[in-house]
């Protein structure tokens, strides 16, 4: 990769980050807090949270196997998606390349930051072509986005293709592994030392069943993490989120059981859905959802909405014509969906 200084926006390199009250005495014991204009009552919620989430990062390090100094925590994965644009991409000048179809927030953040977004189509098997991704790049391409397992297709991208991009591209490669807990693939976060241009995204929203607390993770080199910490807002992860995340991370056995149940249900659901007259194809999946091509996605979607069952209609997404994306729920929820669809008049 290029030297990091050549990839980072000049104004970010010169940035003097805001120094919060909690940063300035870090490493020293304290019990009287008269520095941050806080209300002294209603503890502990009257105090600003740890801006670097030290306790939580140490716990995540135990669970994820990545040292805390290689970890960034954000307000959902959306913050971890947005920050690289602000760090690396000059508005109106630089561009990013991404597989297509994929998670829509990569493009939304590009539009917000006035950065050209260059989609590269997957093939008919929803697989990426490394050479096509690299061919879409030019001297102003700062980031390549890869989601694996991919959303909305559900499948993992070919590992050799990802590694080729990581090796050949001289900018930043971001691999979103939000659904990796449902896949047998070895997570790429374990390869950070091999690929200094790699950022891997994770989330508490999927396997950890904590979408409501809005906690996203990014794993990268210490130098990239330092840049993300400089640019983020001082108290980006609130205290309630940090406390709840610590609680859930201490219940790893429950999470592993949930994942097993979801994978069992996924197999059952794929088989049952495949047998429906309205189903034309169920695509391979490594996630907690599957994508299926059906006879009339809009009509089936509307039919389910009338019965209080909500799935995702992806028919307007490129390469996903007449496709529904269906999340794996509880056994009862899944049975209700299949039962309703068996009564659908195709």
């Amino acid at each position: 990769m290029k030297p990091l200084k050549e990839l980072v926006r000049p104004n970010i390199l010169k940035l003097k980050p805001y120094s919060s009250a909690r940063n300035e005495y870090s490493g020293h014991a304290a019990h009287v807090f008269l520095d941050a204009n806080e209300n002294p009552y209603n503890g502990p919620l009257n105090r600003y949270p740890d801006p670097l989430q030290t306790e939580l990062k140490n716990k995540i390090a135990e669970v994820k196997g990545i040292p805390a100094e290689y970890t960034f925590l954000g307000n959902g994965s959306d913050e971890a998606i947005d920050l690289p644009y602000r760090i690396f991409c000059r508005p109106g000048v630089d561009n990013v390349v991404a597989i297509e179809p994929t998670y829509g927030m990569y493009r939304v953040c590009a539009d917000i930051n006035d950065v050209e977004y260059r989609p590269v189509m997957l093939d008919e098997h929803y697989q990426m072509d490394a050479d096509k991704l690299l061919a879409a790049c030019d001297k102003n391409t700062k980031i390549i986005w890869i989601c694996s397992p991919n959303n909305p297709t559900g499948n993992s991208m070919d590992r050799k293709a990802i590694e080729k991009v990581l090796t050949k591209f001289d900018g930043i490669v971001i691999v979103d592994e939000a659904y990796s807990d449902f896949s047998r693939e070895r997570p790429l976060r374990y390869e950070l030392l091999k690929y200094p241009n790699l950022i891997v995204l994770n989330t508490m929203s999927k396997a950890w069943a904590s979408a409501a607390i809005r906690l996203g993770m990014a794993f990268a080199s210490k130098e990239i993490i330092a840049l993300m910490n400089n640019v983020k807002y001082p108290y980006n992860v609130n205290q309630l989120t940090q406390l709840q995340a610590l609680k859930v991370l201490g219940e790893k056995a429950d999470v592993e059981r949930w994942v097993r149940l979801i994978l069992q249900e996924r197999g059952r659901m794929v088989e049952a859905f495949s047998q429906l007259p309205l189903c034309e194809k169920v695509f391979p999946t490594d996630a907690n959802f599957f994508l299926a091509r059906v006879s009339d996605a809009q009509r089936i979607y509307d039919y389910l909405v009338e019965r209080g069952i909500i799935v995702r209609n992806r028919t307007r997404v490129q390469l996903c014509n007449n496709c529904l994306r269906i999340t794996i729920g509880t056994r009862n929820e899944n049975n209700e969906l299949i039962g309703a669809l068996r009564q659908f008049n195709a």
Side-chain angles (χ1 to χ4, degrees):
M1 65 177 288
K2 291 180 180 177
L4 201 57
K5 288 183 178 180
E6 293 182 22
L7 294 172
V8 178
R9 288 168 51 181
N11 65 302
I12 300 300
L13 282 176
K14 297 175 183 177
L15 179 69
K16 293 183 179 179
Y18 178 79
S19 179
S20 71
R22 294 297 176 260
N23 283 121
E24 292 175 358
Y25 75 88
S26 179
H28 298 275
H31 65 281
V32 176
F33 298 98
L34 305 176
D35 57 326
N37 302 336
E38 299 154 322
N39 190 317
Y41 307 108
N42 193 38
L45 299 182
N46 60 323
R47 301 297 179 188
Y48 288 107
D50 176 4
L52 293 177
Q53 309 96 29
T54 304
E55 183 182 3
L56 179 53
K57 283 181 180 176
N58 287 336
K59 185 63 179 180
I60 288 173
E62 291 179 25
V63 173
K64 294 287 187 176
I66 303 297
E69 58 266 33
Y70 291 80
T71 304
F72 169 84
L73 300 182
N75 185 352
S77 291
D78 294 342
E79 183 176 12
I81 291 168
D82 181 60
L83 283 180
Y85 283 102
R86 295 161 60 190
I87 294 168
F88 299 108
C89 298
R90 295 167 294 174
V93 177
D94 292 327
N95 65 76
V96 302
V97 169
I99 61 173
E100 180 76 13
T102 194
Y103 182 44
M105 278 304 296
Y106 312 144
R107 182 189 289 269
V108 170
C109 286
D111 291 344
I112 290 170
N113 287 282
D114 191 22
V115 173
E116 181 189 357
Y117 185 89
R118 298 181 175 183
V120 176
M121 288 297 149
L122 300 175
D123 65 19
E124 66 272 20
H125 303 293
Y126 294 142
Q127 273 299 333
M128 59 179 270
D129 184 319
D131 291 328
K132 288 183 178 179
L133 281 171
L134 294 167
C137 301
D138 62 21
K139 63 184 179 64
N140 290 328
T141 304
K142 292 296 186 67
I143 297 170
I144 293 179
W145 289 96
I146 301 169
C147 187
S148 182
N150 190 30
N151 178 9
T153 60
N155 61 307
S156 295
M157 295 295 105
D158 180 73
R159 181 56 61 93
K160 289 184 179 179
I162 296 176
E163 291 173 347
K164 184 173 184 177
V165 171
L166 282 163
T167 302
K168 298 293 185 180
F169 182 55
D170 60 7
I172 302 298
V173 179
I174 303 179
V175 180
D176 189 342
E177 292 190 330
Y179 300 96
S180 61
D181 293 291
F182 305 102
S183 171
R184 294 179 180 177
E185 290 276 352
R186 175 179 165 85
L188 264 169
R189 67 176 181 269
Y190 297 125
E191 307 296 333
L192 291 176
L193 295 181
K194 185 177 181 181
Y195 301 111
N197 59 334
L198 173 64
I199 300 175
V200 176
L201 304 185
N202 271 194
T203 178
M204 294 289 289
S205 296
K206 310 305 178 185
W208 293 87
S210 298
I213 71 173
R214 309 307 302 128
L215 184 68
M217 292 164 258
F219 303 107
S221 69
K222 290 186 286 187
E223 293 77 12
I224 291 176
I225 295 300
L227 288 165
M228 296 180 81
N229 285 330
N230 285 348
V231 175
K232 77 174 183 69
Y233 292 114
Y235 304 109
N236 61 323
V237 179
N238 71 72
Q239 184 69 8
L240 295 175
T241 290
Q242 293 188 44
L243 291 172
Q244 183 61 26
L246 284 167
K247 178 177 181 296
V248 175
L249 288 164
E251 299 168 350
K252 189 179 178 183
D254 286 339
V255 175
E256 291 172 347
R257 179 173 57 85
W258 297 338
V259 170
R260 286 196 301 271
L261 289 171
I262 288 169
L263 293 179
Q264 290 169 8
E265 279 296 290
R266 186 180 75 186
R268 188 180 73 90
M269 281 291 288
V270 166
E271 182 177 357
F273 201 95
S274 299
Q275 295 173 3
L276 295 169
L278 56 82
C279 178
E280 296 181 359
K281 183 174 183 177
V282 176
F283 294 95
T285 180
D286 293 311
N288 65 331
F289 62 86
F290 63 89
L291 187 74
R293 180 163 289 126
V294 294
S295 54
D296 188 334
Q298 188 62 53
R299 196 158 73 90
I300 295 167
Y301 174 82
D302 293 339
Y303 166 85
L304 290 172
V305 169
E306 290 176 1
R307 283 151 184 78
I309 301 171
I310 309 301
V311 297
R312 198 76 192 269
N313 185 2
R314 300 282 75 189
T315 194
R316 293 182 180 86
V317 174
Q318 294 195 67
L319 301 184
C320 296
N321 183 49
N322 263 338
C323 286
L324 298 176
R325 193 193 70 191
I326 297 168
T327 305
I328 305 301
T330 65
R331 190 175 186 88
N332 287 340
E333 290 171 332
N334 298 333
N335 287 343
E336 187 170 350
L337 170 66
I338 295 298
L341 291 176
R342 284 172 178 159
Q343 298 173 35
F344 178 75
N345 184 8

